[in-house]
Coordinates of all heavy atoms in Angstrom, one line a residue:
M1 N 12.8 -4.5 12.0 CA 13.0 -3.1 11.7 C 14.4 -2.8 11.2 O 14.6 -2.0 10.4 CB 12.6 -2.2 12.8 CG 11.1 -2.3 13.2 SD 10.0 -1.8 11.9 CE 10.4 -0.1 11.8
E2 N 15.4 -3.5 11.8 CA 16.7 -3.2 11.4 C 17.0 -3.6 9.9 O 17.7 -2.9 9.2 CB 17.7 -4.0 12.3 CG 19.2 -3.7 12.1 CD 20.1 -4.5 13.0 OE1 19.6 -4.9 14.1 OE2 21.2 -4.6 12.6
A3 N 16.4 -4.7 9.5 CA 16.5 -5.2 8.1 C 16.0 -4.1 7.2 O 16.5 -3.9 6.1 CB 15.8 -6.5 7.9
V4 N 14.9 -3.5 7.5 CA 14.3 -2.5 6.7 C 15.2 -1.3 6.6 O 15.3 -0.7 5.5 CB 12.9 -2.1 7.2 CG1 12.3 -0.9 6.5 CG2 11.9 -3.3 7.1
E5 N 15.8 -0.9 7.7 CA 16.7 0.2 7.7 C 17.9 -0.1 6.8 O 18.5 0.8 6.1 CB 17.1 0.6 9.1 CG 16.0 1.3 9.9 CD 15.5 2.5 9.2 OE1 16.3 3.4 8.8 OE2 14.3 2.7 9.2
I6 N 18.4 -1.3 6.9 CA 19.5 -1.7 6.0 C 19.1 -1.6 4.6 O 19.9 -1.1 3.7 CB 20.0 -3.1 6.4 CG1 20.7 -3.1 7.8 CG2 21.0 -3.7 5.3 CD1 21.0 -4.5 8.3
Q7 N 17.9 -2.1 4.2 CA 17.5 -2.0 2.9 C 17.4 -0.6 2.4 O 17.8 -0.2 1.3 CB 16.1 -2.6 2.7 CG 16.0 -4.1 2.5 CD 14.6 -4.6 2.2 OE1 13.7 -4.1 2.8 NE2 14.5 -5.5 1.2
K8 N 16.8 0.3 3.3 CA 16.7 1.7 3.0 C 18.0 2.3 2.6 O 18.1 3.1 1.7 CB 16.0 2.4 4.2 CG 15.7 3.8 3.9 CD 15.0 4.4 5.2 CE 14.7 5.8 5.0 NZ 14.0 6.3 6.3
S9 N 19.1 2.0 3.4 CA 20.4 2.6 3.1 C 21.1 2.0 2.0 O 22.0 2.6 1.4 CB 21.2 2.5 4.4 OG 21.5 1.2 4.7
T10 N 20.8 0.7 1.6 CA 21.5 0.1 0.5 C 20.8 0.2 -0.8 O 21.5 0.5 -1.9 CB 21.8 -1.4 0.8 OG1 20.5 -2.1 1.1 CG2 22.7 -1.6 2.0
I11 N 19.5 -0.1 -0.9 CA 18.8 0.0 -2.2 C 17.9 1.2 -2.3 O 17.4 1.5 -3.4 CB 17.9 -1.3 -2.4 CG1 16.9 -1.4 -1.3 CG2 18.8 -2.5 -2.5 CD1 15.9 -2.6 -1.6
G12 N 17.7 1.9 -1.3 CA 16.9 3.2 -1.4 C 15.4 2.9 -1.1 O 15.0 1.8 -1.1
I13 N 14.7 4.0 -1.0 CA 13.3 3.8 -0.6 C 12.4 3.6 -1.9 O 11.3 3.1 -1.7 CB 12.8 5.1 0.1 CG1 12.9 6.3 -0.7 CG2 13.5 5.2 1.5 CD1 12.2 7.5 -0.1
N14 N 12.9 3.9 -3.0 CA 12.0 3.7 -4.2 C 12.4 2.4 -5.0 O 12.7 2.4 -6.2 CB 12.1 4.9 -5.2 CG 11.5 6.1 -4.6 OD1 10.4 6.0 -4.0 ND2 12.1 7.3 -4.7
H15 N 12.4 1.3 -4.2 CA 12.8 0.0 -4.8 C 11.7 -1.0 -4.4 O 11.2 -0.9 -3.3 CB 14.1 -0.4 -4.1 CG 14.7 -1.6 -4.8 ND1 14.3 -2.9 -4.6 CD2 15.7 -1.7 -5.7 CE1 15.0 -3.7 -5.3 NE2 15.9 -3.0 -6.0
P16 N 11.3 -1.9 -5.3 CA 10.3 -2.8 -5.1 C 10.5 -3.7 -3.8 O 9.6 -4.0 -3.1 CB 10.2 -3.7 -6.3 CG 10.9 -2.9 -7.4 CD 11.9 -2.0 -6.7
D17 N 11.7 -4.1 -3.6 CA 12.0 -4.9 -2.4 C 11.8 -4.1 -1.1 O 11.3 -4.7 -0.1 CB 13.5 -5.4 -2.4 CG 13.7 -6.5 -3.5 OD1 12.7 -7.0 -4.0 OD2 14.8 -6.7 -3.9
Y18 N 12.1 -2.9 -1.1 CA 11.8 -2.0 0.1 C 10.3 -1.9 0.3 O 9.9 -2.1 1.4 CB 12.5 -0.7 -0.1 CG 12.3 0.2 1.1 CD1 12.9 0.0 2.3 CD2 11.5 1.4 1.0 CE1 12.8 0.8 3.4 CE2 11.3 2.2 2.1 CZ 12.0 1.9 3.3 OH 11.8 2.8 4.4
A19 N 9.6 -1.7 -0.8 CA 8.1 -1.6 -0.7 C 7.6 -2.9 -0.2 O 6.6 -2.9 0.7 CB 7.5 -1.3 -2.1
L20 N 8.1 -4.0 -0.6 CA 7.6 -5.4 -0.1 C 7.9 -5.5 1.4 O 7.0 -6.0 2.1 CB 8.4 -6.5 -0.9 CG 8.0 -7.9 -0.5 CD1 6.5 -8.2 -0.8 CD2 8.9 -8.9 -1.3
S21 N 9.0 -5.1 1.8 CA 9.3 -5.2 3.3 C 8.3 -4.3 4.1 O 7.8 -4.7 5.1 CB 10.7 -4.7 3.6 OG 11.6 -5.6 3.0
L22 N 8.0 -3.1 3.6 CA 7.1 -2.2 4.3 C 5.7 -2.8 4.2 O 4.9 -2.7 5.2 CB 7.1 -0.8 3.6 CG 8.3 0.0 3.7 CD1 8.1 1.4 3.1 CD2 8.8 0.2 5.2
N23 N 5.3 -3.4 3.1 CA 4.0 -4.1 3.0 C 3.9 -5.2 4.0 O 2.8 -5.4 4.6 CB 3.8 -4.6 1.6 CG 2.4 -5.0 1.3 OD1 1.5 -4.1 1.2 ND2 2.1 -6.2 1.3
E24 N 4.9 -6.0 4.2 CA 4.9 -7.1 5.2 C 4.7 -6.5 6.6 O 4.0 -7.1 7.4 CB 6.2 -7.9 5.0 CG 6.3 -8.7 3.7 CD 5.1 -9.6 3.5 OE1 4.6 -10.3 4.5 OE2 4.6 -9.7 2.4
L25 N 5.4 -5.4 6.9 CA 5.3 -4.8 8.2 C 3.8 -4.3 8.4 O 3.2 -4.5 9.4 CB 6.3 -3.7 8.4 CG 7.7 -4.1 8.6 CD1 8.6 -2.9 8.5 CD2 7.8 -4.8 10.0
G26 N 3.3 -3.7 7.3 CA 1.9 -3.3 7.4 C 0.9 -4.4 7.7 O 0.0 -4.3 8.5
A27 N 1.2 -5.5 7.0 CA 0.3 -6.7 7.2 C 0.4 -7.2 8.6 O -0.6 -7.6 9.2 CB 0.7 -7.8 6.2
I28 N 1.6 -7.2 9.2 CA 1.8 -7.7 10.6 C 1.1 -6.8 11.5 O 0.3 -7.2 12.4 CB 3.3 -7.7 10.9 CG1 4.0 -8.9 10.2 CG2 3.5 -7.9 12.4 CD1 5.5 -8.9 10.2
Y29 N 1.2 -5.5 11.4 CA 0.5 -4.5 12.2 C -1.0 -4.7 12.1 O -1.7 -4.5 13.1 CB 1.0 -3.1 12.0 CG 2.3 -2.8 12.7 CD1 3.5 -2.6 12.0 CD2 2.4 -2.7 14.1 CE1 4.7 -2.3 12.6 CE2 3.6 -2.4 14.7 CZ 4.7 -2.2 14.0 OH 5.9 -2.0 14.6
S30 N -1.4 -4.9 10.9 CA -2.9 -5.1 10.7 C -3.4 -6.4 11.5 O -4.4 -6.3 12.1 CB -3.2 -5.3 9.2 OG -4.5 -5.5 9.0
E31 N -2.6 -7.4 11.4 CA -3.0 -8.7 12.0 C -3.1 -8.5 13.5 O -3.9 -9.2 14.2 CB -2.0 -9.8 11.7 CG -2.1 -10.4 10.3 CD -3.4 -11.1 10.2 OE1 -3.8 -11.9 11.1 OE2 -4.1 -10.9 9.1
I32 N -2.2 -7.7 14.1 CA -2.2 -7.5 15.6 C -3.2 -6.4 16.0 O -3.3 -6.1 17.2 CB -0.8 -7.3 16.2 CG1 -0.2 -6.1 15.7 CG2 0.0 -8.6 15.9 CD1 1.2 -5.7 16.4
G33 N -3.8 -5.8 15.0 CA -4.8 -4.8 15.4 C -4.3 -3.4 15.5 O -5.1 -2.5 15.9
N34 N -3.1 -3.1 15.1 CA -2.5 -1.8 15.2 C -2.7 -1.2 13.8 O -1.8 -1.0 13.0 CB -1.1 -1.8 15.6 CG -0.5 -0.4 15.8 OD1 -1.1 0.6 15.4 ND2 0.6 -0.3 16.5
F35 N -4.0 -0.8 13.5 CA -4.4 -0.3 12.2 C -3.7 1.0 11.8 O -3.5 1.3 10.6 CB -5.9 -0.3 12.1 CG -6.5 -1.6 12.3 CD1 -7.5 -1.7 13.3 CD2 -6.2 -2.7 11.6 CE1 -8.1 -3.0 13.6 CE2 -6.8 -3.9 11.8 CZ -7.7 -4.1 12.8
Q36 N -3.5 1.9 12.8 CA -2.9 3.2 12.5 C -1.4 3.0 12.0 O -1.1 3.6 11.0 CB -2.8 4.0 13.8 CG -2.4 5.5 13.5 CD -3.3 6.2 12.5 OE1 -4.5 6.1 12.5 NE2 -2.7 7.0 11.7
K37 N -0.7 2.1 12.6 CA 0.7 1.8 12.1 C 0.6 1.1 10.8 O 1.4 1.4 9.9 CB 1.4 0.9 13.2 CG 2.9 0.9 13.0 CD 3.5 2.2 13.3 CE 5.0 2.0 13.4 NZ 5.7 3.3 13.5
A38 N -0.3 0.2 10.6 CA -0.5 -0.5 9.3 C -0.8 0.5 8.2 O -0.2 0.4 7.1 CB -1.6 -1.6 9.4
K39 N -1.6 1.4 8.5 CA -2.0 2.4 7.6 C -0.8 3.2 7.1 O -0.6 3.5 5.9 CB -3.1 3.4 8.1 CG -3.5 4.4 7.2 CD -4.6 5.3 7.7 CE -4.1 6.2 8.7 NZ -5.1 7.3 9.1
E40 N 0.1 3.6 8.1 CA 1.3 4.3 7.7 C 2.2 3.6 6.7 O 2.7 4.1 5.8 CB 2.1 4.6 9.0 CG 1.4 5.6 9.9 CD 2.2 5.7 11.3 OE1 3.4 5.4 11.3 OE2 1.5 6.2 12.2
Y41 N 2.3 2.3 7.0 CA 3.2 1.4 6.1 C 2.5 1.3 4.8 O 3.1 1.4 3.7 CB 3.5 0.1 6.7 CG 4.5 0.1 7.8 CD1 4.2 0.0 9.1 CD2 5.9 0.4 7.4 CE1 5.2 0.1 10.1 CE2 6.9 0.5 8.4 CZ 6.5 0.3 9.7 OH 7.5 0.4 10.7
F42 N 1.2 1.0 4.7 CA 0.5 0.8 3.5 C 0.5 2.1 2.6 O 0.5 2.1 1.4 CB -0.9 0.3 3.7 CG -0.9 -1.2 4.1 CD1 -1.9 -1.6 5.0 CD2 0.0 -2.1 3.6 CE1 -2.0 -2.9 5.4 CE2 -0.1 -3.4 4.0 CZ -1.0 -3.8 4.9
L43 N 0.4 3.3 3.3 CA 0.5 4.6 2.6 C 1.8 4.7 1.9 O 1.9 5.1 0.8 CB 0.2 5.7 3.5 CG -1.3 6.0 3.8 CD1 -1.4 7.0 5.0 CD2 -2.0 6.5 2.6
A44 N 2.9 4.4 2.7 CA 4.2 4.4 2.1 C 4.4 3.5 0.9 O 5.0 3.9 -0.1 CB 5.3 4.1 3.2
V45 N 3.9 2.3 1.0 CA 3.9 1.3 -0.1 C 3.2 1.9 -1.3 O 3.7 1.8 -2.4 CB 3.3 0.0 0.3 CG1 3.2 -1.0 -0.9 CG2 4.2 -0.7 1.4
A46 N 2.0 2.4 -1.1 CA 1.3 3.0 -2.2 C 2.1 4.1 -2.9 O 2.2 4.2 -4.2 CB -0.1 3.5 -1.8
D47 N 2.7 5.0 -2.1 CA 3.5 6.0 -2.7 C 4.7 5.5 -3.5 O 5.0 6.0 -4.6 CB 4.1 7.0 -1.6 CG 3.0 7.8 -1.0 OD1 1.9 8.0 -1.6 OD2 3.3 8.4 0.1
I48 N 5.4 4.5 -3.0 CA 6.5 3.9 -3.7 C 6.0 3.2 -5.0 O 6.6 3.4 -6.0 CB 7.2 2.9 -2.8 CG1 7.9 3.6 -1.6 CG2 8.3 2.1 -3.6 CD1 8.4 2.7 -0.5
H49 N 4.9 2.4 -4.9 CA 4.4 1.8 -6.1 C 4.0 2.8 -7.2 O 4.2 2.6 -8.4 CB 3.3 0.8 -5.8 CG 3.7 -0.4 -5.2 ND1 2.9 -1.3 -4.5 CD2 5.0 -1.0 -5.1 CE1 3.6 -2.3 -4.1 NE2 4.8 -2.2 -4.4
Y50 N 3.4 3.9 -6.7 CA 3.0 4.9 -7.7 C 4.3 5.5 -8.4 O 4.3 5.7 -9.6 CB 2.2 6.0 -7.0 CG 1.7 7.1 -8.0 CD1 0.5 6.9 -8.6 CD2 2.4 8.2 -8.2 CE1 0.0 7.8 -9.5 CE2 1.9 9.2 -9.1 CZ 0.7 9.0 -9.7 OH 0.3 9.9 -10.6
F51 N 5.3 5.8 -7.6 CA 6.5 6.3 -8.1 C 7.2 5.4 -9.1 O 7.7 5.8 -10.1 CB 7.5 6.7 -7.0 CG 8.8 7.2 -7.4 CD1 8.9 8.6 -7.7 CD2 9.9 6.5 -7.5 CE1 10.1 9.1 -8.1 CE2 11.1 7.0 -8.0 CZ 11.2 8.3 -8.3
I52 N 7.3 4.1 -8.7 CA 8.0 3.1 -9.6 C 7.2 2.7 -10.8 O 7.7 2.7 -11.9 CB 8.3 1.8 -8.8 CG1 9.2 2.1 -7.6 CG2 8.8 0.7 -9.7 CD1 9.4 0.9 -6.7
Y53 N 5.9 2.4 -10.6 CA 5.1 1.8 -11.7 C 4.1 2.8 -12.4 O 3.6 2.5 -13.4 CB 4.3 0.6 -11.1 CG 5.2 -0.4 -10.5 CD1 5.1 -0.6 -9.1 CD2 6.0 -1.2 -11.3 CE1 5.9 -1.6 -8.6 CE2 6.8 -2.2 -10.7 CZ 6.8 -2.4 -9.3 OH 7.6 -3.3 -8.8
G54 N 3.8 3.9 -11.7 CA 2.8 4.8 -12.3 C 1.4 4.4 -11.8 O 1.2 3.4 -11.0
E55 N 0.4 5.2 -12.2 CA -1.0 5.0 -11.7 C -1.6 3.7 -12.2 O -2.4 3.1 -11.4 CB -1.8 6.2 -12.1 CG -3.2 6.2 -11.5 CD -4.0 7.4 -11.9 OE1 -3.4 8.3 -12.6 OE2 -5.1 7.5 -11.4
Y56 N -1.4 3.3 -13.4 CA -2.1 2.2 -14.0 C -1.3 0.9 -14.0 O -0.8 0.5 -15.0 CB -2.7 2.6 -15.4 CG -3.7 3.6 -15.3 CD1 -3.5 4.9 -15.5 CD2 -5.0 3.2 -14.9 CE1 -4.5 5.9 -15.4 CE2 -6.1 4.1 -14.8 CZ -5.8 5.5 -15.0 OH -6.8 6.4 -14.9
H57 N -1.1 0.4 -12.8 CA -0.3 -0.8 -12.6 C -1.0 -1.6 -11.5 O -1.5 -1.1 -10.5 CB 1.1 -0.5 -12.2 CG 2.0 -1.7 -12.4 ND1 2.2 -2.6 -11.4 CD2 2.9 -2.0 -13.4 CE1 3.0 -3.5 -11.8 NE2 3.5 -3.2 -13.0
Q58 N -0.9 -2.9 -11.6 CA -1.5 -3.8 -10.7 C -0.9 -3.7 -9.3 O -1.7 -3.8 -8.3 CB -1.4 -5.3 -11.1 CG -2.3 -5.6 -12.3 CD -3.7 -5.3 -12.1 OE1 -4.3 -5.8 -11.1 NE2 -4.3 -4.5 -12.9
K59 N 0.3 -3.5 -9.2 CA 0.9 -3.3 -7.8 C 0.4 -2.1 -7.1 O 0.1 -2.1 -5.9 CB 2.4 -3.3 -7.9 CG 3.0 -4.6 -8.2 CD 4.5 -4.7 -7.9 CE 5.1 -6.0 -8.2 NZ 5.1 -7.0 -7.1
Y60 N 0.2 -1.0 -7.9 CA -0.4 0.2 -7.3 C -1.8 -0.1 -6.9 O -2.3 0.3 -5.8 CB -0.3 1.4 -8.2 CG -0.8 2.6 -7.6 CD1 -0.3 3.2 -6.5 CD2 -1.8 3.3 -8.3 CE1 -0.8 4.4 -5.9 CE2 -2.4 4.5 -7.7 CZ -1.8 5.0 -6.6 OH -2.3 6.2 -6.0
A61 N -2.6 -0.8 -7.7 CA -4.0 -1.1 -7.4 C -4.0 -2.0 -6.1 O -4.9 -1.8 -5.3 CB -4.6 -1.9 -8.6
T62 N -3.1 -2.9 -6.0 CA -3.1 -3.8 -4.8 C -2.8 -2.9 -3.5 O -3.4 -3.1 -2.5 CB -2.0 -4.9 -4.9 OG1 -2.4 -5.7 -6.1 CG2 -1.9 -5.7 -3.7
S63 N -1.9 -2.0 -3.7 CA -1.6 -1.1 -2.6 C -2.8 -0.3 -2.1 O -3.1 -0.1 -0.9 CB -0.5 0.0 -3.0 OG 0.7 -0.7 -3.3
L64 N -3.6 0.2 -3.1 CA -4.8 0.9 -2.8 C -5.9 0.0 -2.2 O -6.6 0.4 -1.2 CB -5.4 1.5 -4.1 CG -4.5 2.6 -4.7 CD1 -5.2 3.1 -6.1 CD2 -4.3 3.8 -3.8
N65 N -5.9 -1.2 -2.6 CA -6.8 -2.2 -2.0 C -6.5 -2.5 -0.6 O -7.4 -2.6 0.3 CB -6.8 -3.5 -2.8 CG -8.0 -4.3 -2.6 OD1 -9.1 -4.0 -3.1 ND2 -7.9 -5.4 -1.8
N66 N -5.2 -2.6 -0.3 CA -4.7 -2.8 1.1 C -5.1 -1.6 2.0 O -5.6 -1.7 3.1 CB -3.2 -3.0 1.2 CG -2.8 -4.3 0.6 OD1 -3.6 -5.2 0.5 ND2 -1.5 -4.4 0.3
L67 N -5.0 -0.4 1.4 CA -5.5 0.8 2.2 C -6.9 0.8 2.4 O -7.4 1.1 3.5 CB -5.1 2.1 1.4 CG -3.6 2.5 1.5 CD1 -3.2 3.5 0.5 CD2 -3.3 3.0 2.9
G68 N -7.7 0.3 1.4 CA -9.1 0.2 1.6 C -9.5 -0.7 2.7 O -10.4 -0.5 3.6
A69 N -8.8 -1.8 2.8 CA -9.0 -2.8 3.9 C -8.7 -2.2 5.3 O -9.5 -2.4 6.2 CB -8.2 -4.0 3.7
I70 N -7.6 -1.4 5.4 CA -7.3 -0.8 6.7 C -8.3 0.2 7.1 O -8.8 0.2 8.2 CB -5.9 -0.2 6.6 CG1 -4.8 -1.3 6.6 CG2 -5.6 0.8 7.7 CD1 -4.8 -2.2 7.8
Y71 N -8.7 1.0 6.1 CA -9.7 2.0 6.4 C -11.1 1.4 6.8 O -11.8 1.9 7.7 CB -9.9 3.0 5.3 CG -8.9 4.1 5.4 CD1 -7.7 4.1 4.6 CD2 -9.1 5.3 6.2 CE1 -6.8 5.1 4.7 CE2 -8.2 6.3 6.2 CZ -7.0 6.2 5.5 OH -6.1 7.2 5.6
S72 N -11.4 0.3 6.2 CA -12.5 -0.5 6.6 C -12.4 -1.0 8.0 O -13.3 -0.9 8.8 CB -12.8 -1.6 5.6 OG -13.9 -2.4 6.0
D73 N -11.2 -1.5 8.3 CA -11.0 -2.0 9.7 C -11.1 -1.0 10.8 O -11.5 -1.3 11.9 CB -9.6 -2.7 9.8 CG -9.4 -4.0 9.0 OD1 -10.4 -4.6 8.8 OD2 -8.3 -4.3 8.7
I74 N -10.7 0.3 10.4 CA -10.8 1.3 11.4 C -12.2 2.0 11.4 O -12.5 2.9 12.2 CB -9.7 2.4 11.3 CG1 -9.7 3.1 10.0 CG2 -8.4 1.7 11.6 CD1 -8.7 4.2 9.9
G75 N -13.1 1.6 10.5 CA -14.4 2.1 10.5 C -14.6 3.3 9.6 O -15.7 3.9 9.6
D76 N -13.7 3.7 8.8 CA -13.8 4.8 7.9 C -14.2 4.2 6.5 O -13.4 4.1 5.6 CB -12.5 5.6 7.8 CG -12.6 6.9 7.0 OD1 -13.7 7.1 6.3 OD2 -11.7 7.7 7.1
Y77 N -15.5 3.9 6.4 CA -16.0 3.2 5.3 C -16.0 4.1 4.0 O -15.8 3.6 2.9 CB -17.4 2.6 5.5 CG -17.3 1.6 6.7 CD1 -18.0 2.0 7.9 CD2 -16.6 0.5 6.7 CE1 -17.9 1.1 9.0 CE2 -16.5 -0.4 7.7 CZ -17.1 -0.1 8.9 OH -17.1 -0.9 10.0
K78 N -16.2 5.3 4.2 CA -16.2 6.3 3.0 C -14.8 6.3 2.4 O -14.7 6.2 1.2 CB -16.6 7.7 3.5 CG -16.7 8.7 2.4 CD -18.0 8.4 1.6 CE -18.2 9.6 0.7 NZ -19.2 9.3 -0.3
Q79 N -13.8 6.4 3.2 CA -12.4 6.4 2.7 C -12.1 5.0 2.1 O -11.4 4.9 1.1 CB -11.4 6.8 3.7 CG -10.0 7.0 3.2 CD -9.9 8.1 2.2 OE1 -10.3 9.2 2.5 NE2 -9.3 7.9 1.1
A80 N -12.5 4.0 2.8 CA -12.3 2.6 2.3 C -12.9 2.5 0.9 O -12.2 1.9 0.0 CB -12.9 1.6 3.2
E81 N -14.1 2.9 0.7 CA -14.8 2.8 -0.6 C -14.0 3.5 -1.7 O -13.9 3.0 -2.8 CB -16.2 3.4 -0.5 CG -16.9 3.3 -1.8 CD -18.3 4.0 -1.7 OE1 -18.5 5.0 -1.0 OE2 -19.2 3.4 -2.3
Q82 N -13.5 4.7 -1.3 CA -12.7 5.5 -2.3 C -11.5 4.7 -2.8 O -11.2 4.6 -4.0 CB -12.3 6.8 -1.8 CG -13.5 7.8 -1.6 CD -13.1 9.1 -1.0 OE1 -12.1 9.2 -0.3 NE2 -13.9 10.1 -1.2
Y83 N -10.8 4.1 -1.8 CA -9.6 3.3 -2.2 C -10.0 2.1 -3.0 O -9.3 1.7 -4.0 CB -8.8 2.9 -1.0 CG -7.9 4.0 -0.5 CD1 -8.0 4.5 0.8 CD2 -6.9 4.6 -1.3 CE1 -7.2 5.6 1.3 CE2 -6.1 5.6 -0.8 CZ -6.2 6.1 0.5 OH -5.4 7.1 0.9
Y84 N -11.0 1.4 -2.6 CA -11.5 0.2 -3.3 C -11.9 0.5 -4.7 O -11.6 -0.2 -5.7 CB -12.6 -0.5 -2.6 CG -12.3 -1.3 -1.3 CD1 -13.1 -1.2 -0.2 CD2 -11.1 -2.1 -1.3 CE1 -12.8 -1.9 0.9 CE2 -10.8 -2.8 -0.2 CZ -11.6 -2.7 0.9 OH -11.3 -3.5 2.1
L85 N -12.7 1.6 -4.9 CA -13.1 2.0 -6.2 C -12.0 2.4 -7.1 O -12.0 2.1 -8.3 CB -14.2 3.1 -6.1 CG -15.5 2.7 -5.5 CD1 -16.4 4.0 -5.3 CD2 -16.2 1.7 -6.4
E86 N -11.0 3.1 -6.6 CA -9.8 3.5 -7.4 C -9.0 2.3 -7.8 O -8.6 2.2 -9.0 CB -8.9 4.5 -6.6 CG -7.8 5.1 -7.4 CD -7.0 6.1 -6.7 OE1 -7.3 6.5 -5.5 OE2 -6.0 6.5 -7.2
A87 N -8.9 1.3 -6.9 CA -8.2 0.1 -7.3 C -9.0 -0.7 -8.3 O -8.4 -1.2 -9.3 CB -8.0 -0.8 -6.0
L88 N -10.3 -0.7 -8.2 CA -11.1 -1.4 -9.2 C -11.0 -0.7 -10.6 O -10.9 -1.4 -11.6 CB -12.6 -1.4 -8.7 CG -13.6 -2.0 -9.6 CD1 -13.3 -3.5 -9.8 CD2 -15.0 -1.9 -9.1
E89 N -11.0 0.6 -10.6 CA -10.9 1.3 -11.8 C -9.6 1.0 -12.5 O -9.5 0.8 -13.8 CB -11.1 2.8 -11.6 CG -11.2 3.6 -12.9 CD -12.4 3.2 -13.8 OE1 -13.4 2.8 -13.2 OE2 -12.2 3.2 -15.0
I90 N -8.5 1.0 -11.8 CA -7.2 0.6 -12.3 C -7.2 -0.8 -12.9 O -6.7 -1.0 -14.0 CB -6.1 0.8 -11.3 CG1 -5.9 2.3 -10.9 CG2 -4.7 0.2 -11.8 CD1 -5.0 2.5 -9.7
R91 N -7.8 -1.7 -12.2 CA -7.8 -3.1 -12.7 C -8.7 -3.2 -13.9 O -8.3 -4.0 -14.8 CB -8.4 -4.0 -11.5 CG -7.3 -4.2 -10.5 CD -7.7 -5.3 -9.5 NE -6.5 -5.5 -8.6 CZ -6.5 -5.3 -7.3 NH1 -7.5 -4.8 -6.7 NH2 -5.4 -5.5 -6.6
K92 N -9.8 -2.5 -13.9 CA -10.6 -2.5 -15.2 C -9.8 -2.0 -16.4 O -9.9 -2.6 -17.4 CB -11.9 -1.6 -15.0 CG -13.0 -2.2 -14.2 CD -14.1 -1.2 -14.1 CE -15.3 -1.7 -13.3 NZ -16.4 -0.7 -13.3
T93 N -9.1 -0.9 -16.2 CA -8.3 -0.3 -17.2 C -7.2 -1.2 -17.7 O -7.0 -1.4 -18.9 CB -7.8 1.0 -16.8 OG1 -8.9 1.9 -16.4 CG2 -7.0 1.7 -17.9
T94 N -6.5 -1.7 -16.7 CA -5.3 -2.5 -17.1 C -5.6 -3.9 -17.5 O -4.9 -4.5 -18.3 CB -4.3 -2.6 -15.9 OG1 -4.9 -3.2 -14.8 CG2 -3.7 -1.2 -15.6
L95 N -6.7 -4.5 -17.0 CA -7.0 -5.9 -17.4 C -8.0 -5.9 -18.5 O -8.4 -7.0 -19.0 CB -7.5 -6.6 -16.2 CG -6.6 -6.8 -15.1 CD1 -7.2 -7.4 -13.9 CD2 -5.3 -7.6 -15.5
G96 N -8.6 -4.8 -18.9 CA -9.6 -4.7 -20.0 C -10.9 -5.4 -19.6 O -11.6 -5.9 -20.4
V97 N -11.3 -5.3 -18.4 CA -12.5 -5.9 -17.9 C -13.6 -4.9 -18.0 O -13.6 -3.8 -17.7 CB -12.4 -6.4 -16.4 CG1 -13.6 -7.1 -16.0 CG2 -11.2 -7.3 -16.3

């Protein structure tokens, strides 16, 4: 956590490296079953990716997919589906599928 705070103060919160660090923390919390904490980190990552890259970017789609997985893990399948579908729509648009 100290490293993340150092990043926050040196490169700022709207930086890809800061988002990557938060994403890694979210993944760790997900692995240990703390889905609420993981969700907080993944929501922050999605916000950062949206700010940096905009709505139609693969990194933002991946962030939404991660949120879908967390909501699925906590049993909120309706919300999970919304995130998965939004991520899919972005991928279809950006990849031309």
